[in-house]
């Protein structure tokens, strides 16, 4: 009605403020708007796959901004690197969900009413329905069955087939009205409500969660507290006290590589981390494993295996003969053969601080051009190839430093392939004396490390539940046929004065219903079983 | 260590490769036969038209000139196909179609052998890389098609469906040949079986409904043109049911496929949660699965929105399918993301 007014009368204010709001609401909650917003949502998601996204690949976004600064800045201005948290994407889905709520609330009300309403009244002419039929049965005097009995039996019969029925024995033409498929609308509503549930769970649940990363070398223990994380990202409403102090110790990490295939030789086929866990400081230790696709579930948090590599164990002695550094050093794999880069810092070395950078080769070999390479991902012949430095490591100015990067600004080179001293080449168990009595470095052994993501997301369970309900609702809604059926009894007297009794039935589909025809056949069969059809009496 | 991997049977893998190639040839032959049937059907329709015209004339003569009759109000081709897509007696004459269907069955058997033997050779489900997605996916499309053919006369779609299967299989064997190998750890999960198999089955159904929606649009345009008094440009469309019947049939298939796709997306989220520590992260593949889902949800909505049924909703189904194809090809090959298992 409001729409009509709008067309005739351009002066919008004539509608009044309340009228305007009503009109806007009616527009927003119309099917047309829902459809439009849905399609808009699909279109709006696409740039999220075209441009790198900060939430997924922050490095790629940074690289994009350096490579194409002008275009990048414009893209950034339109939040194209943050599509799924952007103002415009949010606007679309928030409008869509408002529209959705505005749409389902009245439908719930209407359907609640429909559930209490009896099936629709019997049409006067069933032969107009898409499926219908008649057959003659024995008359009341012949069989002694009353109309009321027939009506009640027919109602029972329809009820058994899932119809909701109303027997209408009164009147000249006794009949049964039946309808089935109310669950179609219930399924549809369940589906749409569950969508709201998913969105709400994501929004609320997610903000109580947190995520973090940690590198663990064999033998090391992670205790769940803020200081133990290498990096940590809290949700909006995260509270530090919610961290339960469980612990995870990495005993051993195993990798299996493909040793049979000629085409995929050396491809990893299994990663397993053997860990010892404690649910709380007092709890007993448990032996568990973490594998790809099989995270460790501990106190509501999940620990995922996301990376691995070698951590050579080294000891650095300084110029005074004291141990300046000793322990495993995490190296970063560069290729499938685990050729890895590493940096060693010995800030406690005296008189000068010492630093090293170079490679670990798990299976050292020389290729045809004379370069040192790793020939196998397993540590068959591990070797360290390092350059060394002395001077100021730059750790004292208080700025946080990346442990994987050696800042060589204030350092002097000691060993390098290009220097007379040459590079350091160390096999397992070997020690190298640094030039000028600066100290020594020894390669004591090799351990493996794993990188884990630790994640606590309280939205998981509610999202899973709502998703399950949505799927259920969807299936119910799409596969429940909605039908109406009527059965009538017509008593009359034919030309020869004989009593006649005719059963008439008709079916009507509401919406798409390919099986209406077979339903009609089945119904006729059942009706005829109940009251056998008779030939015309006396013929 | 709880994770013993089966040994790979290289010889059997090579047999599988051979049969894939042979199946592709057989499908190509079936495709030609289907095309031949279409061409012949145009002729058949003209013959039937001529004979009904003759019959009509007879009726007119018998009934006496001047008395108007409405003997034939059915559209052209009604004798060859009906709207519930049942087999009709007149279509018995379609020799070429029979040959095409037999060839398709032969292709499906060989293809099935190839897929199963690859699975046995690798000791796992045969969908772990692009070659396997394509070869197994095309098998499911062909299988669904022949199974539906048992009950419904969908031979009018043969050229399209078997053409597509041929292209997919050739794409697999020529574009992405990959010898049998173990799965990378990320794919060693029973979710691979669930998630990917349902995705492939849903895609196969979407393929069939896509073909119907395209035919629906063509039929629609053709009937409009004929009604406007223009010549029938695609007489072979006489063996294709009416636009309305195609639309309804496509809708039913799309509804089933949509539920399966919804399940695929959810299963993917569960798997992602186990594998990557989050159930949804807007990875490229996730973005596109979402887009596809929303477009098809839009399609289902459109069917219930005034003014959007018929050709418009058919377009949405077609767009949804194009997104699906895009997701499967361009995104798999050119976009990088966590789902980079194409084996390229
Ligand atoms: C979050 C966005 C939405 C999504 C993803 C969505 C999805 C769907 C899907 C998949 C269907 C078909 C399955 C079924 O019948 O249950 C459907 C049906 C329906 N939706 Fe939505 N919907 C959304 C929002 C809305 C909104 C805002 C409205 C109201 C304006 C609405 C009203 C309806 C109605 C009335 C049907 C039934 C159509 C019929 O009778 O076939 N939906 N929706």
């Amino acid at each position: 009605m409001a729409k009509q007014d709008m067309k005739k009368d351009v002066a919008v204010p004539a509608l009044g403020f309340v009228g305007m709001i009503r009109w806007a609401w009616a527009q927003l909650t119309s099917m047309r708007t829902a459809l439009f917003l849905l399609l808009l949502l699909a279109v709006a998601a696409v740039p999220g796959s075209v441009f790198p996204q900060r939430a997924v690949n922050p490095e790629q976004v940074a690289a994009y901004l350096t490579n194409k600064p002008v275009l990048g800045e414009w893209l950034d201005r339109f939040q194209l690197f943050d599509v799924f948290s952007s103002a415009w994407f949010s606007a679309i889905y928030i409008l869509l969900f408002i529209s959705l709520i505005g749409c389902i609330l009245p439908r719930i009300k209407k359907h609640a009413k429909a559930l209490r309403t009896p099936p629709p009244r019997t049409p006067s002419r069933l032969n107009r329905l898409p499926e219908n039929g008649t057959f003659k049965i024995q008359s009341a005097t012949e069989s002694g069955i009353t109309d009321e009995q027939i009506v009640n039996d027919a109602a029972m019969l329809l009820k058994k087939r899932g119809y909701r029925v109303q027997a209408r024995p009164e009147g000249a033409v006794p009949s049964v009205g039946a309808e089935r498929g109310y669950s179609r609308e219930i399924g549809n509503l369940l589906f749409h409500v569950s969508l709201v549930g998913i969105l709400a769970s994501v929004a609320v649940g997610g903000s109580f969660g947190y995520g973090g990363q940690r590198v663990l070398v064999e033998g090391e223990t992670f205790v769940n507290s803020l200081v133990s994380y290498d990096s940590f990202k809290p949700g909006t409403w995260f509270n530090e006290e919610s961290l339960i102090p469980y612990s995870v110790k990495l005993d051993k990490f195993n990798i299996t590589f493909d040793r049979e295939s000629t085409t995929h030789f050396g491809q990893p086929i299994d990663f397993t981390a053997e860990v010892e866990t404690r649910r709380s400081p007092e709890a007993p230790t448990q032996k568990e494993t973490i594998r790809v696709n099989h995270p460790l579930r501990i106190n509501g948090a999940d620990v995922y295996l996301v990376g691995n590599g070698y951590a050579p164990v080294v000891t650095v002695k300084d110029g005074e003969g004291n141990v300046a550094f000793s322990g495993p050093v995490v190296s970063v794999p560069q290729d499938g053969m685990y050729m890895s880069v590493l940096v060693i810092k010995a800030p406690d070395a005296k008189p000068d601080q010492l630093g090293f950078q170079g490679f670990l080769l798990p299976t050292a070999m020389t290729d045809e051009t004379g370069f040192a390479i790793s020939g196998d991902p397993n540590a068959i012949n591990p070797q360290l190839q390092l350059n060394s430095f002395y001077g100021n490591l730059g750790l004292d100015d208080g700025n946080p430093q990346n442990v994987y990067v050696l800042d060589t600004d204030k350092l002097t080179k000691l060993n390098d392939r290009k220097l007379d001293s040459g590079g350091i080449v160390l096999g397992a168990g070997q020690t190298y004396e640094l030039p000028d009595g600066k100290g020594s470095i020894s390669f004591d052994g090799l351990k493996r490390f794993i990188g884990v993501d630790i994640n606590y997301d309280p939205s998981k369970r509610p999202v899973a539940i709502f998703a399950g309900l949505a799927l259920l609702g969807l299936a119910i809604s799409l596969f429940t046929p909605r039908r109406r059926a009527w059965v009538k009894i017509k008593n009359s007297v034919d030309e020869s004065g004989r009593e006649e009794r005719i059963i008439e039935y008709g079916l009507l589909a509401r919406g798409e219903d390919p099986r209406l025809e077979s339903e009609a056949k089945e119904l006729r069969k059942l009706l005829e079983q109940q009251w056998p059809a008779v030939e015309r009496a006396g013929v | 260590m709880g994770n013993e991997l089966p040994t790979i049977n290289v010889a059997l893998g090579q047999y599988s490769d051979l049969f894939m190639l042979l199946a592709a040839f057989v499908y190509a032959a079936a495709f030609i036969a289907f095309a031949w049937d279409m061409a012949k059907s145009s002729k058949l329709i003209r013959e039937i038209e001529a004979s009904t015209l003759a019959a009509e004339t007879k009726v007119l003569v018998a009934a006496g000139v001047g008395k108007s009759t409405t003997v034939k109000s059915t559209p052209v081709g009604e004798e060859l196909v009906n709207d519930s897509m049942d087999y009709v007696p007149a279509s018995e004459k379609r020799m070429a179609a029979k040959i095409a269907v037999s060839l398709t069955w032969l292709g499906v058997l060989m293809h099935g052998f190839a897929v199963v033997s690859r699975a046995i050779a690798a000791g796992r489900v045969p969908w772990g890389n692009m070659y396997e997605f394509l070869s197994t996916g095309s098998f499911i499309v062909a299988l669904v098609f022949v199974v539906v053919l048992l009950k419904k006369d969908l031979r009018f779609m043969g050229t399209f469906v078997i053409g597509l299967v041929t292209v997919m299989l050739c794409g697999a064997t020529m574009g992405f040949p990959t010898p049998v190998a173990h799965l990378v750890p990320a794919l060693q999960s029973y979710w691979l079986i669930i998630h990917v198999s349902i995705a492939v089955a849903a895609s196969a159904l979407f393929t069939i409904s896509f073909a119907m929606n395209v035919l629906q649009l063509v039929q629609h345009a053709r009937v409009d043109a004929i009604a406007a008094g223009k010549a029938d440009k695609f007489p072979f469309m006489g063996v294709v049911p009416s636009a309305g019947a195609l639309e309804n049939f496509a809708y039913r298939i799309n509804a089933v496929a949509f539920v399966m796709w919804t399940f695929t997306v959810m299963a993917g989220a569960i798997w992602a949660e186990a594998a990557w520590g989050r159930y949804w992260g807007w990875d490229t593949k996730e973005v596109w699965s979402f887009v596809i889902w929303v477009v098809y949800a839009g399609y289902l909505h459109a069917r219930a929105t005034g003014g959007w049924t018929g050709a418009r909703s058919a377009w949405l189904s077609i767009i949804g399918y194009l997104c699906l194809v895009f997701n499967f090809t361009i995104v798999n090959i050119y976009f990088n993301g966590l789902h980079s298992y194409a084996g390229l």
Side-chain angles (χ1 to χ4, degrees):
Chain A
M1 170 218 101
K3 221 167 162 183
Q4 286 285 318
D5 290 353
M6 279 302 294
K7 281 207 185 115
K8 272 190 232 136
D9 184 0
V10 188
V12 179
L15 274 171
F17 182 66
V18 177
M20 277 273 292
I21 300 270
R22 275 231 182 98
W23 178 81
W25 182 248
Q27 290 303 303
L28 182 62
T29 57
S30 75
M31 276 301 268
R32 206 169 286 267
T33 310
L35 178 57
F36 173 72
L37 287 171
L38 262 176
L39 298 180
L40 199 60
L41 187 70
V43 174
V46 172
S49 73
V50 176
F51 303 109
Q53 296 296 299
R54 271 208 184 83
V56 185
N57 286 315
E59 323 79 42
Q60 276 186 26
V61 177
Y64 198 107
L65 284 170
T66 2
N67 295 341
K68 298 183 190 157
V70 182
L71 179 62
E73 195 190 320
W74 274 100
L75 294 176
D76 208 10
R77 201 163 288 168
F78 288 107
Q79 300 175 299
L80 285 161
F81 298 122
D82 306 278
V83 167
F84 301 104
S85 54
S86 69
W88 44 273
F89 191 80
S90 311
I92 296 170
Y93 77 74
I94 289 170
L95 274 178
L96 182 57
F97 275 87
I98 294 175
S99 165
L100 178 56
I101 292 167
C103 173
I104 50 184
L105 287 182
R107 279 173 60 200
I108 291 176
K109 214 170 121 192
K110 205 170 140 215
H111 196 60
K113 211 171 134 207
L115 284 174
R116 281 181 271 113
T117 318
R121 50 162 213 87
T122 316
S124 53
R125 290 158 94 181
L126 294 184
N127 60 5
R128 290 215 173 146
L129 299 179
E131 291 293 336
N132 64 78
T134 57
F135 61 96
K136 198 185 280 182
I137 64 168
Q138 286 184 321
S139 70
T141 26
E142 280 165 344
S143 64
I145 305 173
T146 62
D147 284 351
E148 192 169 355
Q149 246 172 307
I150 291 185
V151 165
N152 286 338
D153 286 351
M156 271 314 288
L157 201 143
L158 283 162
K159 200 167 176 181
K160 272 201 203 121
R161 290 190 70 71
Y163 287 84
R164 183 216 291 249
V165 295
Q166 191 184 41
R168 294 155 185 164
E170 326 75 25
V173 187
S175 67
V176 184
E179 176 155 0
R180 57 155 296 154
Y182 292 83
S183 53
R184 186 185 184 96
E185 180 73 356
I186 295 180
N188 183 297
L189 291 170
L190 176 64
F191 168 74
H192 285 91
V193 169
S194 303
L195 292 185
V196 180
I198 292 175
L199 187 74
S201 311
V202 171
V204 177
S207 36
F208 285 101
Y210 63 80
Q213 269 117 28
R214 171 67 196 255
V215 166
L216 265 184
V217 179
E218 284 171 331
E220 275 183 357
T221 303
F222 164 81
V223 180
N224 189 31
S225 64
L226 273 189
V227 293
S228 302
Y229 287 90
D230 296 335
S231 69
F232 191 81
K233 215 158 98 187
T236 331
W237 292 330
F238 165 77
N239 175 355
E240 199 184 329
E241 270 144 45
S242 66
L243 291 181
I244 302 168
Y246 60 81
S247 68
V248 179
K249 172 169 178 263
L250 177 64
D251 279 341
K252 197 165 181 315
F253 181 65
N254 305 308
I255 314 188
T256 317
F257 296 99
D258 194 337
R259 296 296 180 191
E260 296 167 3
S261 168
T262 45
T263 49
H264 295 73
F265 186 86
Q267 175 182 297
I269 44 186
D270 185 51
F271 302 116
T272 305
E274 296 172 23
V275 293
E276 234 168 73
T277 57
R278 274 179 203 270
R279 293 312 198 245
S280 70
E282 302 79 37
T285 59
Q286 274 172 271
K287 292 220 177 272
E288 293 181 81
T289 60
I290 314 177
R291 291 173 43 207
V292 178
N293 281 323
H294 300 276
L296 170 68
R297 313 266 184 203
I298 187 162
N299 293 351
D302 306 296
V303 183
Y304 298 89
L305 187 58
V306 291
N308 69 84
Y310 286 105
V313 182
V314 297
T315 302
V316 177
K317 285 191 179 156
D318 63 12
E320 298 171 2
N322 298 319
V323 174
F325 174 87
S326 179
V329 182
V330 170
S331 68
V332 185
Q334 305 295 304
D335 62 18
M337 296 297 154
Y338 282 74
M339 187 205 45
S340 312
V341 296
L342 78 164
V343 161
I344 305 165
K345 297 179 189 177
D348 298 335
K350 290 191 180 85
D352 298 297
Q353 294 185 325
L354 294 173
F356 303 82
Q357 71 180 14
F359 296 101
L360 164 75
L361 305 170
T363 298
M365 294 178 16
T366 33
D367 69 4
E368 50 284 5
T369 57
F371 268 111
I373 57 159
S374 177
D376 195 278
N378 273 337
I380 297 167
N381 173 32
Q383 194 178 75
L384 286 177
Q385 300 211 350
L386 301 170
N387 293 340
S388 68
F389 301 82
Y390 72 95
N392 184 349
L393 290 171
L395 296 174
D396 306 326
D397 53 11
N399 289 333
Q401 256 212 355
N402 189 334
V403 291
Y404 301 109
V405 178
L406 189 67
D407 177 6
T408 53
D409 281 359
K410 296 176 196 147
L411 294 173
T412 312
K413 257 193 189 139
L414 260 180
N415 286 94
D416 190 314
R417 283 220 306 213
K418 295 184 198 95
L419 299 180
D420 291 342
S421 56
I424 305 172
V425 178
L426 271 181
Q430 296 179 341
T431 301
Y432 176 87
E433 297 291 336
L434 297 175
D436 309 334
K438 296 281 183 203
S440 69
I441 178 164
S442 43
F443 180 14
D444 305 331
L446 201 56
K447 290 186 171 183
R448 289 189 192 268
F449 74 86
I450 59 171
V452 290
D453 268 2
I454 298 156
N455 213 321
Y456 171 65
D457 183 352
S459 75
K460 276 177 190 174
R461 190 177 296 262
V463 167
I465 292 171
F466 281 121
L469 289 176
L471 187 64
L472 180 75
L474 185 68
I476 293 175
S477 157
L478 285 174
F479 305 137
T480 310
R482 191 154 184 199
R483 301 177 181 137
R484 289 176 174 172
W486 293 274
V487 178
K488 267 189 203 177
I489 311 163
K490 277 189 177 150
N491 291 307
S492 61
V493 182
D494 70 3
E495 308 102 57
S496 56
R498 216 169 259 134
E499 274 183 48
E500 269 198 329
R501 186 183 246 178
I502 291 171
I503 302 263
E504 190 175 2
Y505 63 90
L507 286 103
L508 176 67
R510 304 196 59 205
E512 184 71 15
D513 188 356
R515 284 187 297 276
L516 189 70
E517 197 185 329
S518 57
E519 171 76 3
K521 282 204 185 102
E522 185 64 21
L523 188 63
R524 181 177 186 122
K525 208 178 91 199
L526 291 171
L527 291 171
E528 289 197 14
Q529 265 170 19
Q530 194 89 10
W531 307 285
V534 293
E535 292 305 313
R536 204 159 210 267
V539 176
Chain B
M1 242 182 39
N3 200 37
E4 282 307 311
L5 285 169
T7 42
I8 283 181
N9 187 336
V10 178
L12 188 59
Q14 282 162 353
Y15 271 113
S16 165
D17 291 350
L18 177 67
F19 269 80
M20 289 285 186
L21 204 61
L22 291 177
F25 284 126
V26 175
Y27 284 137
F31 168 76
I32 293 169
F34 273 123
W36 177 34
D37 168 55
M38 281 217 149
K40 276 195 48 172
S41 297
S42 308
K43 217 176 115 219
L44 190 60
I45 287 163
R46 254 178 258 120
E47 277 168 25
I48 292 174
E49 265 181 314
S51 67
T52 34
L53 202 67
E56 269 175 58
T57 330
K58 261 188 220 147
V59 172
L60 282 172
V61 171
V65 189
K67 199 175 173 191
S68 71
T69 40
T70 45
V71 176
K72 186 158 189 307
S73 57
T74 46
V76 183
E78 181 81 341
E79 341 274 305
L80 285 177
V81 64
N82 68 17
D83 278 1
S84 36
M85 300 176 203
D86 300 317
Y87 286 93
V88 291
S91 70
E92 290 296 309
K93 291 186 203 141
R94 289 163 63 186
M95 236 5 248
K98 284 189 178 161
I99 294 172
V101 173
S102 309
L103 282 171
T104 306
W105 269 107
L106 181 64
V108 167
L109 291 179
M110 295 167 90
H111 197 173
F113 171 78
V115 169
V116 171
S117 59
R118 183 165 177 107
I120 295 172
R124 59 174 173 79
V125 291
W127 47 80
N129 52 50
M130 197 69 186
Y131 171 82
E132 293 173 354
F133 297 149
L134 276 172
S135 56
T136 307
S138 54
F139 172 66
I140 302 292
V141 174
L143 186 69
V144 168
F145 183 61
V146 288
V147 168
V148 177
L149 273 182
L150 292 177
K151 292 218 85 169
K152 293 278 171 186
D153 185 2
L154 297 191
R155 290 176 297 180
F156 62 88
M157 295 199 352
T159 330
F160 177 86
V161 174
I162 297 308
L164 188 81
V165 166
T166 313
V167 168
M168 283 170 81
L169 199 50
C170 289
T173 49
M174 291 163 200
F176 309 99
T178 315
V180 190
H182 293 304
L183 291 173
V184 294
L187 289 185
Q188 293 169 19
S189 162
Y190 56 89
W191 285 108
L192 173 73
I193 303 172
I194 301 168
H195 172 68
V196 183
S197 62
I198 303 287
V200 168
S203 308
L205 290 178
F206 280 137
T207 304
I208 290 177
S209 58
F210 161 74
M212 289 192 163
N213 285 125
V214 171
L215 287 174
Q216 174 197 340
L217 292 178
V218 175
Q219 190 73 299
H220 196 87
R222 170 176 170 259
V223 169
D224 279 358
I226 293 174
K230 294 199 194 112
D232 185 356
K233 259 195 271 170
F234 310 109
F236 63 84
M237 289 292 289
V239 289
V240 176
S242 72
L246 287 166
E247 182 187 352
N248 288 340
F249 210 86
Y251 168 75
R252 272 185 258 154
I253 297 177
N254 267 338
V256 176
F258 182 76
V259 173
M260 288 165 79
W261 189 256
T262 308
F263 180 77
T264 300
V265 173
M266 289 177 181
I270 297 174
W271 188 8
E273 192 278 327
W276 303 320
R278 85 289 185 294
Y279 52 85
W280 197 265
W282 297 113
D283 176 64
T284 324
K285 200 87 195 203
E286 291 169 350
V287 172
W288 278 94
S289 303
F290 173 79
V291 169
I292 292 162
W293 189 80
V294 173
V295 171
Y296 277 108
Y299 161 82
L300 292 178
H301 260 213
R303 292 258 321 174
T305 307
W308 272 80
T309 48
R312 279 196 187 182
S313 65
W315 275 112
L316 286 179
S317 164
I318 291 169
I319 292 171
Y321 187 72
L322 295 181
C323 292
L324 192 81
V325 170
F326 184 81
N327 192 25
F328 188 74
T329 54
I330 309 294
V331 174
N332 269 9
I333 299 166
Y334 297 109
F335 286 40
N336 57 2
L338 290 167
H339 280 79
S340 302
Y341 303 129
L344 302 176

